[in-house]
Amino acid sequence: MSELSGPADHSLMRVSDSDRERAADVLREAAGHGRITMDELDERLERAYAAKTYADLATVTRDLPGQAQAPGAVQPTMAGRIGGTPGSKFSVAILSGARRTGRWVVPPSYVAVAVMGGVELDLREAQFSEPEVTIHAYTLMGGIEITVPEDVDVDVSGIAFMGGFDHNASGPGVPGAPRVRVIGFAFLGGVDVQRKPSKPVQGTPANRQLDQP
């Protein structure tokens, strides 16, 4: 007796109503942050609800952060990025600068303080100690710049007084990706959170911090 085999390409498999709704949520989130216009939203929603396969859904979300994925799909760049032992849990810059870049382990709670100085945190090559991490950003007449991979879940809820706290990076990530929360306060300063493509992660994560006087 011969066996019936499914499509070799997972992208050709049929989508469910929940898959269509997940894609629609990504589109509405993108429109809310100004990534697509309302006309584009209407056009893409129509295509999303008419989609029959995962390949159809991919065409309406592939250029957006948090694009819808097939259930159970594994993201190579995110797999294995949760776990590890964190090192330092804070960066402080007073009349100076501090940078945390490259391969490092983000602790469950990380504090960044900039007083008339600047702090740069780059999470694109980082390992995440927990599925959800929180960055506490506080600045007084200074600046904090946080760069996150474009495929992680981001929630920015900080506030500012006579300064700025950028919320534009908030939005969903791919299924199974870490969640990064950014909270805090900016007074006469600014906190900038931006998404950029992930950098390849190779080898064992190491903690690297550069503090510049």
Side-chain angles (χ1 to χ4, degrees):
M1 177 183 286
S2 62
E3 292 186 357
L4 295 177
S5 59
D9 188 347
H10 188 71
S11 66
L12 300 180
M13 294 183 66
R14 294 274 179 156
V15 296
S16 65
D17 288 340
S18 62
D19 296 322
R20 297 184 184 94
E21 286 297 335
R22 185 161 63 247
D25 288 342
V26 172
L27 294 172
R28 295 188 186 100
E29 185 78 22
H33 290 293
R35 292 190 172 95
I36 59 177
T37 66
M38 296 308 295
D39 287 340
E40 288 177 305
L41 173 62
D42 291 340
E43 186 267 335
R44 294 194 189 202
L45 282 175
E46 183 176 349
R47 288 164 52 196
Y49 285 120
K52 292 182 172 60
T53 66
Y54 291 116
D56 295 335
L57 280 184
T59 63
V60 300
T61 60
R62 64 174 40 149
D63 60 343
L64 300 173
Q67 57 182 309
Q69 300 288 326
V74 177
Q75 297 298 311
T77 59
M78 303 310 297
R81 291 190 66 177
I82 298 177
T85 302
S88 175
K89 298 181 179 180
F90 61 89
S91 288
V92 177
I94 301 176
L95 294 171
S96 62
R99 288 196 301 143
R100 199 71 183 265
T101 64
R103 292 176 293 140
W104 61 292
V105 180
V106 185
S109 180
Y110 192 87
V111 178
V113 178
V115 179
M116 301 182 69
V119 173
E120 177 189 352
L121 302 178
D122 191 336
L123 279 58
R124 288 176 293 170
E125 294 182 72
Q127 186 92 355
F128 299 86
S129 60
E130 300 288 344
E132 178 173 318
V133 300
T134 301
I135 296 177
H136 304 259
Y138 304 101
T139 178
L140 171 63
M141 301 179 67
I144 298 176
E145 181 178 309
I146 303 170
T147 303
V148 297
E150 62 182 5
D151 43 10
V152 303
D153 190 355
V154 180
D155 177 20
V156 182
S157 56
I159 60 176
F161 180 72
M162 300 181 68
F165 213 114
D166 187 4
H167 289 217
N168 289 332
S170 290
V174 301
R179 175 180 174 83
V180 178
R181 296 182 63 240
V182 181
I183 62 176
F185 182 71
F187 180 65
L188 292 173
V191 176
D192 180 34
V193 185
Q194 55 183 321
R195 292 178 181 265
K196 290 185 179 180
S198 299
K199 294 181 178 180
V201 179
Q202 300 178 349
T204 302
N207 287 287
R208 182 173 66 188
Q209 180 166 3
L210 301 177
D211 293 317
Q212 300 175 347

